Every structure is written in structure tokens, then in C-alpha cells.
Amino acid sequence: MSRWLLCLILVLGLTGCQSSAATNPKLPYAAWYLGFLAPNYMEVWLERADISDINGLIFPRAMGGVVAMGQPESLSATARGWPKRIGSGKGRSMTGLDLPYVVSLRWQSMVEPQTYHAAFLIPDWARRKMVESLPADCPVSGRTSDYRKDLTIGLAPGGVVKVWIMGPCLDPIEVLTLQAEIEPKGPYGGKSGGKYRPLSPVVKAYVDKYGVPYGSWWAPIPYTTVGP
């Protein structure tokens, strides 16, 4: 993490109110969604995710725990690259927050195992697209328009972080891809003596058979439109 970004996060943490009731964001929807996912079989434990919106309101520990991941017991899926059709990920609605600005993460890539941390800014162009109403065919709801109000973050081995915005009836747009840093304190901030959570049996079977396809998660997925 760069020093200036760390300072920015510290300032936001000191000045931002931590109660979602403190703001009344003027968004065209009730809340945006924060979701996390991992490539198939590449198990991740999210230790914490801290979010700040464009007004400096900070939501500490907005998310934690397991993230969405495909793991067919037949080992028929592949961990190489991102799924051709990603979902919004496991997460929660960010009620009371305005559009996202700073994201700070710490997580365990359990198949390595390794602990990473990263902090990054959501660019202005992505926030503009999050409030852009677009024509869409939504068969379930019958809506004829949709917003890309889901902020989805993918976490992959080697510390690869990929961020998309998407809507239930709109294809994802890739926002950024970045390289996280290794967390020097290890898992749980050094409180576990370096011990990681055990892999689930299916994940262990896959990794034992096929290994970890490092380097396969950087390229854009085929249908993704990269923003300016």
C-alpha cells in the first residue's frame, strides 16, 4: 500500500462518522451492494473489509468470513481464470452509505496459504456508471431498466484483486486489477501463531490433483468492458 493512500485511509478513519444513520445519500436506489468472490476452488477467508464513501463516512468491518466460490465435488470445474459468468458475490447491501471511495481489505488465500492486504480507490468514472440508469431486460422483475449498483471484488491466489461493477440485468464492467501486498503479521494479525484455517475437503482434493494456476487471473474475462 502506498504511503499516501495509507494516510488517506487513516484520515478518513479519524474524521468519518461510523454510524450509517449519519448520512442521507441521494442515490437513485436504496443501497448499493458489496460482494466478494474467489475463483473456483481457490478458497478465501476475508478477515475484514473497511469501506469509506465519497463523504468520508466509514464502515469498519463491513464484511468478513467466507466468500462466494464454485466447488463442484466432482472436480469438474476449473480454477484457471475467472468464471465466464460471475455473480455479485457473497456480501451485503451498504445501506446509509453514499457511493464507495476507499476500500481496504485483509484476507487469507487459504490454498497457498498466505495473508494479503490491499487498499485502493474506486475511480470517478466507475461511480458515475453506478448511478447511470440503462435499458435492460429483467424477466424476473419485469423492469426495463437497471443500475450497476453492485461492487464485486474478486480475490485470487498470489494476491490478485479484481473489481467489477454490475447489475442484476446488466453485464459486469471491470474497474481495476491490482496486486496486493503480503501481510507481514500473517493470519489474524499474528494472533494465531501463523496457523491458517484448514481447507475444505473438496478444495484440498482439487489442489492436490491440479495445483494452483498462478498467473491466470490477471487478464480480463471475455465479456467484460473495461472502463476509461
Side-chain angles (χ1 to χ4, degrees):
M1 183 193 310
S2 64
R3 183 174 298 177
W4 71 267
L5 185 52
L6 176 59
C7 292
L8 175 61
I9 293 169
L10 290 175
V11 169
L12 290 173
L14 290 173
T15 61
C17 175
Q18 296 184 3
S19 169
S20 62
T23 61
N24 183 25
K26 296 180 180 179
L27 298 176
Y29 36 77
W32 55 274
Y33 181 84
L34 175 67
F36 290 87
L37 54 82
N40 294 331
Y41 301 106
M42 300 291 100
E43 197 166 3
V44 164
W45 179 261
L46 180 63
E47 291 191 358
R48 66 180 296 162
D50 302 324
I51 307 296
S52 171
D53 72 6
I54 56 176
N55 297 316
L57 181 68
I58 190 169
F59 192 156
R61 299 187 181 275
M63 274 293 297
V66 296
V67 308
M69 174 193 68
Q71 51 175 335
E73 293 186 5
S74 62
L75 308 187
S76 57
T78 179
R80 183 173 297 278
W82 299 95
K84 291 183 179 179
R85 196 66 191 174
I86 62 169
S88 297
K90 182 179 179 181
R92 65 185 298 175
S93 294
M94 297 289 104
T95 305
L97 287 186
D98 212 315
L99 294 173
Y101 180 42
V102 177
V103 179
S104 176
L105 307 171
R106 188 174 73 233
W107 74 96
Q108 300 173 23
S109 174
M110 294 162 58
V111 297
E112 301 183 67
Q114 188 63 268
T115 305
Y116 296 98
H117 67 253
F120 52 91
L121 303 179
I122 303 299
D124 289 341
W125 69 260
R127 285 193 296 272
R128 290 196 298 269
K129 289 183 179 295
M130 289 181 72
V131 292
E132 181 182 5
S133 179
L134 297 171
D137 182 15
C138 302
V140 175
S141 66
R143 298 196 316 274
T144 57
S145 64
D146 194 14
Y147 293 94
R148 286 190 173 93
K149 59 182 180 179
D150 296 355
L151 180 70
T152 297
I153 300 175
L155 304 173
V160 176
V161 182
K162 194 176 284 282
V163 181
W164 300 270
I165 53 174
M166 65 184 74
C169 307
L170 295 171
D171 285 342
I173 292 177
E174 183 179 329
V175 175
L176 56 86
T177 301
L178 61 89
Q179 175 65 56
E181 297 182 359
I182 293 175
E183 170 55 55
K185 295 181 179 179
Y188 305 106
K191 296 179 181 179
S192 68
K195 294 182 179 180
Y196 285 83
R197 296 170 59 87
L199 291 175
S200 66
V202 173
V203 170
K204 187 176 186 308
Y206 183 93
V207 173
D208 287 346
K209 185 174 183 178
Y210 297 109
V212 178
Y214 290 103
S216 68
W217 298 292
W218 277 94
I221 47 183
Y223 62 83
T224 303
T225 301
V226 179

